[in-house]
Amino acid sequence: MEVIIQPNKEAAAALVARIVAHELRANPHLVLGLATGQTMECLYRHLVRLHQTENLDFSLCRTFNLDEYVGLFPADPNSYRYYMNHHLFRHVNVDIRNTHLPNGLATNLNEECLRYEATIKGFGGIDLQILGIGKAGHIGFNEPLSALHSRTRVKALTPTTLKQNAGAFGGEDKMPRRAITMGVGTILECHRCVLLATGDSKARVIAQAVEGPITSMISATALQLHPRATVVVDEEAASELREKDYYRWIFDNEPEWEHLR
Ligand code: GLP
């Protein structure tokens, strides 16, 4: 795992955008895994800017989102389909038919989960997966006790997640209690993953995810098993990491990161 610390949330999101751009330019057919949440809004702003100012081309790439709420229509402003259209897809030249999210309205949700997995596999797997992290340490909606080999499935949301995401719904009682999410095992199969976390509310969980023991209670700790996982944080989210100076030294000196410095 590599940790890159940036001075603030804009710089952290800009760096992740540069990683996406680098991969997309190297492979225009990139299969890109995407995430939602407030943290990602900043990343998508930077990607839109790169599209507008540097012609970053999304026309051949395919996208797969990590998750979607059960029971929300795509036109519902709280659905992740709406979020993705609103923050990214309609501002860049991605072919909307190449953008995939689990269908939380499917009559048979278990079949939908299998279909989603098969579609990802059909495109040869995810090349680059972008991840956020929930306050309780989940990636996607892999809530505490998600098996580290889990596949795409329906998960019941924990009280912490309901509380964290309820604002947009106007209260916990108005939000779906279940979501379809890629499993931890599904996520670990991507070729490369980049987790973006900013703000002091993520400091504790970032320290646990990066430097703590691997546990299904905090699904982000499973990224320690991934051969190519990068965690990009701002100073606030990095504040509880013990080995900050070591991570900084690596980023400042490793030739691999030359193009991002
Ligand atoms: C939701 C999403 C996660 C995301 C998390 C963090 O739970 N399912 O994929 O990482 O929110 O959101 P935020 O960036 O708003 O803190």
Side-chain angles (χ1 to χ4, degrees):
M1 194 182 253
E2 296 127 353
V3 180
I4 300 177
I5 304 169
Q6 291 292 285
N8 52 53
K9 81 171 195 176
E10 282 299 327
L15 188 133
V16 175
R18 294 212 306 281
I19 294 176
V20 174
H22 184 77
E23 296 279 340
L24 195 51
R25 286 187 176 121
N27 173 17
H29 290 92
L30 193 76
V31 181
L32 180 59
L34 295 171
T36 50
Q38 280 172 21
T39 313
M40 295 300 145
E41 291 178 20
C42 203
L43 167 65
Y44 296 144
R45 271 201 309 278
H46 283 279
L47 285 177
V48 171
R49 188 184 49 79
L50 288 176
H51 170 68
Q52 289 166 347
T53 60
E54 294 179 22
N55 291 326
L56 185 62
D57 181 15
F58 291 82
S59 63
L60 298 174
C61 83
R62 273 114 188 163
T63 70
F64 284 90
N65 266 76
L66 286 167
D67 45 19
E68 178 60 284
Y69 289 111
V70 167
L72 297 191
F73 283 90
D76 187 318
N78 285 312
S79 74
Y80 284 164
R81 165 53 78 181
Y82 184 97
Y83 172 105
M84 290 310 305
N85 290 348
H86 182 75
H87 290 290
L88 182 66
F89 297 155
R90 70 184 165 99
H91 305 291
V92 297
N93 63 337
V94 71
D95 183 338
I96 204 76
R97 291 168 301 183
N98 289 338
T99 66
H100 304 268
L101 284 93
N103 175 10
L105 291 171
T107 35
N108 186 329
L109 293 171
N110 292 335
E111 263 174 28
E112 169 59 12
C113 295
L114 294 173
R115 186 200 64 81
Y116 202 63
E117 288 271 338
T119 314
I120 294 172
K121 209 164 261 166
F123 285 110
I126 290 172
D127 296 309
L128 171 64
Q129 176 67 57
I130 303 299
L131 298 161
I133 187 167
K135 288 201 182 85
H138 65 232
I139 46 176
F141 270 129
N142 289 289
E143 300 286 40
L145 294 186
S146 288
L148 301 183
H149 288 298
S150 53
R151 312 301 309 184
T152 301
R153 69 218 182 287
V154 177
K155 281 298 284 183
L157 306 180
T158 58
T160 315
T161 303
L162 291 171
K163 196 166 284 149
Q164 189 186 334
N165 294 2
F169 291 85
E172 274 176 56
D173 50 325
K174 296 190 187 72
M175 76 176 282
R177 303 192 69 87
R178 296 186 306 157
I180 296 180
T181 181
M182 279 188 207
V184 182
T186 319
I187 293 168
L188 289 180
E189 276 170 15
C190 67
H191 292 120
R192 179 179 187 185
C193 60
V194 177
L195 186 147
L196 171 65
T198 55
D200 53 12
S201 69
K202 301 287 171 72
R204 183 145 181 268
V205 82
I206 280 295
Q208 289 172 317
V210 173
E211 296 174 337
I214 295 174
T215 166
S216 61
M217 284 300 286
I218 301 172
S219 58
T221 60
L223 300 178
Q224 295 173 26
L225 297 166
H226 195 285
R228 221 172 156 212
T230 306
V231 173
V232 181
V233 283
D234 64 356
E235 289 288 353
E236 287 185 354
S239 60
E240 291 192 31
L241 289 168
R242 283 191 306 267
E243 300 291 346
K244 270 187 282 192
D245 293 342
Y246 175 58
Y247 309 143
R248 279 193 233 277
W249 189 90
I250 292 174
F251 183 65
D252 291 343
N253 291 281
E254 280 295 323
E256 185 199 342
W257 297 115
E258 185 89 51
H259 67 290
L260 292 174
R261 291 198 284 266

